[in-house]
Amino acid sequence: MLITDDFLPVPVPESLSATYLVPMVGLPKVSAKTAVAALTGRLAEPVHGLARQMLDSPLMSVDTRPISEFPELPPDLLTAFGATEEQLARLAAATHLVVVQAEYRPGWPPAHEWAARAVAAAVAESVDGDVVDVFGLQFLDPATALRSLPDEQGRIRLVDWVLVPYSSDTEGLWFTTKGLRRFGLLELQTQGVPDHLTRAWGAVMTGAARRLLRDWTDGLTGDEVPAFVQLPVLATVTGHDIAVAYGNPEQHGATAPVLLRLELDPATDPEADSFLSLRPPAGHPGPDGRYYAAACATLFSGIQPDVRYARSGDAMSRAVATARAALGDARARFVAGRLPAESQLVVKYGLPGDDGPEYVWAGVTSWEAPERIVGVSASDANTDPSVRIGAPVVVEATDVVDWAVLDATGVIEGGWTQAVLDSGEPPTPPDQQS
């Protein structure tokens, strides 16, 4: 094995496994094979065929067991990772769990994760239930789980598979990834991040995860699983890496790359996880936090923050009223699939805070009930640590103060309150927007 100052050897596990649970009352209505067959035409290849093949192989098992045979899933952690009261109530009422497990070698595609999530989503859909991703301790509704799987071009959004939680200590914020171990790679961490970089550094970590995961899987393309993969000590992260990780490769202009030094931080406790630490390049003057701030300024030059605080005034009141008046029509078009192709519906809603409400944006993923919107957060909230960029959120329609339709060029409809915040101009009614 060649070891140089330019590369870091990272150990490769012999095999990987995925586990998903489907809580339900009683026994499944149909078999897993029948449930997966019902996804024909809705689930892209090769994932649909992969799920069917693994169901017929010893690489996957699907068992139904009484829920009493399992340790209780921690409701506090499930809540921290986005579980709603309704989901926790359905879990508490469940009598059985369908356990979907799959195993596969490290490499690309991650067949164990794709196939197991597809089968679990199919079973959950057949009973109008939920999927529990055991690795991420996340609830997923079937539609969200299926949407996270590769499209016809094999593309995924990394934020559907890797989260970036953080906590605070005396030196600043400690960021980690949660999801890279699905692919056999050690999780990333950064310590000492300044508090004001909450949203921005989470996005940088996600972009770095995308770049390193690509290097990682490139090192696993051979017939034999190697003992180590050599990763570059200096990882290059660009705005494009971040945009691709969030599923919007065309929504980020060209920016200068930033360099981050990769260090192996092995765990001293056998029960703890090792990390790959992201730090400034060697020889950088000043504290690490100063480098992180400069890196964010480089990568997000010209990009406005997603978190804004509303200001009072007639223009803002008219903007909110205009948005709310058109919200029902926006939902109807979203549900009917009548929004422009390659566009995304986002909503803006308020979170309570000591200094007044904080208004954040979320991308809409499901809107079955008029009063309840299911989506993913488009930003990290300052007032609520559970609201993190890419994390699932549930929004009450009555809390929505604005909405917008985005495409690769930006806002193509809506965004009235944002227009007031940006320019102070009064909002344009929907029937006068171009």
Side-chain angles (χ1 to χ4, degrees), residues 7 62 98 100 172 217 223 233 238-239 246-248 251 271 296 307 329 335-336 410:
F7 292 92
V62 181
V98 174
V100 181
T217 54
D223 293 335
V233 168
T238 67
Y246 285 95
N248 298 306
Q251 291 189 11
E271 301 298 320
C296 291
V307 180
D329 177 68
V335 172

Side-chain angles (χ1 to χ4, degrees), residues 1 9-15 105-108 184 215-230:
M1 177 180 62
V10 179
V12 180
E14 293 183 2
S15 65
R105 57 161 281 174
W108 200 264
D215 293 336
W216 174 254
T217 54
D218 284 348
L220 297 171
T221 55
D223 293 335
E224 299 293 330
V225 177
F228 295 87
V229 166
Q230 302 257 27

Side-chain angles (χ1 to χ4, degrees), residues 35-307:
V36 170
L39 297 178
T40 301
R42 296 169 50 206
L43 188 59
E45 297 297 348
V47 178
H48 193 212
L50 183 66
R52 296 197 310 270
Q53 293 170 17
M54 291 194 74
L55 271 172
D56 289 328
S57 79
L59 296 175
M60 177 179 285
S61 63
V62 181
D63 299 313
T64 303
R65 304 176 194 170
I67 198 169
S68 58
E69 294 183 4
F70 293 85
E72 180 184 10
L73 292 170
D76 54 339
L77 289 179
L78 289 169
T79 300
F81 284 101
T84 66
E85 291 183 4
E86 293 84 355
Q87 289 169 330
L88 292 174
R90 287 194 291 270
L91 176 62
T95 61
H96 290 77
L97 289 176
V98 174
V99 184
V100 181
Q101 293 182 302
E103 188 173 338
Y104 202 64
R105 57 161 281 174
W108 200 264
H112 59 297
E113 282 286 352
W114 288 356
R117 184 173 286 198
V119 171
V123 172
E125 187 176 73
S126 71
V127 296
D128 194 23
D130 304 302
V131 176
V132 179
D133 171 12
V134 173
F135 180 91
L137 279 178
Q138 276 190 295
F139 273 94
L140 303 170
D141 65 80
T144 299
L146 292 173
R147 232 182 342 259
S148 70
L149 294 166
D151 61 13
E152 291 80 2
Q153 285 76 45
R155 299 171 300 189
I156 63 168
R157 298 189 332 148
L158 191 61
V159 291
D160 292 329
W161 299 89
V162 177
L163 299 178
V164 186
Y166 64 90
S167 59
S168 181
D169 58 28
T170 57
E171 298 180 356
L173 298 176
W174 175 34
F175 283 80
T176 62
T177 59
K178 185 176 178 61
L180 287 176
R181 283 195 295 115
R182 299 179 190 272
F183 311 104
L185 182 58
L186 297 178
E187 302 290 358
L188 305 180
Q189 70 171 358
T190 306
Q191 295 175 293
V193 179
D195 290 349
H196 70 280
L197 298 180
T198 302
R199 170 187 172 267
W201 196 254
V204 174
M205 290 278 287
T206 305
R210 184 257 175 182
R211 173 57 64 98
L212 289 170
L213 183 59
R214 184 175 177 180
D215 293 336
W216 174 254
T217 54
D218 284 348
L220 297 171
T221 55
D223 293 335
E224 299 293 330
V225 177
F228 295 87
V229 166
Q230 302 257 27
L231 294 181
V233 168
L234 285 180
T236 303
V237 183
T238 67
H240 181 70
D241 289 318
I242 297 170
V244 171
Y246 285 95
N248 298 306
E250 305 303 325
Q251 291 189 11
H252 198 298
T255 62
V258 300
L259 295 176
L260 294 169
R261 178 161 49 95
L262 204 62
E263 294 182 351
L264 179 61
D265 185 12
T268 55
D269 182 347
E271 301 298 320
D273 293 326
S274 298
F275 284 95
L276 292 172
S277 294
L278 295 176
R279 298 202 58 207
H284 169 71
D288 289 359
R290 184 182 302 168
Y291 185 85
Y292 302 145
C296 291
T298 297
L299 290 170
F300 299 105
S301 174
I303 297 177
Q304 296 299 318
D306 291 329
V307 180

Side-chain angles (χ1 to χ4, degrees), residues 288-358:
D288 289 359
R290 184 182 302 168
Y291 185 85
Y292 302 145
C296 291
T298 297
L299 290 170
F300 299 105
S301 174
I303 297 177
Q304 296 299 318
D306 291 329
V307 180
R308 300 291 186 93
Y309 293 89
R311 63 173 183 251
S312 59
D314 292 340
M316 182 60 71
S317 298
R318 291 197 302 272
V320 173
T322 301
R324 284 178 168 167
L327 188 60
D329 177 68
R331 174 185 178 267
R333 287 186 290 144
F334 173 81
V335 172
R338 291 190 285 110
L339 293 177
E342 302 298 325
S343 69
Q344 181 185 21
L345 177 64
V346 295
V347 295
K348 187 179 188 181
Y349 65 103
L351 296 170
D354 294 338
D355 299 322
E358 176 187 9

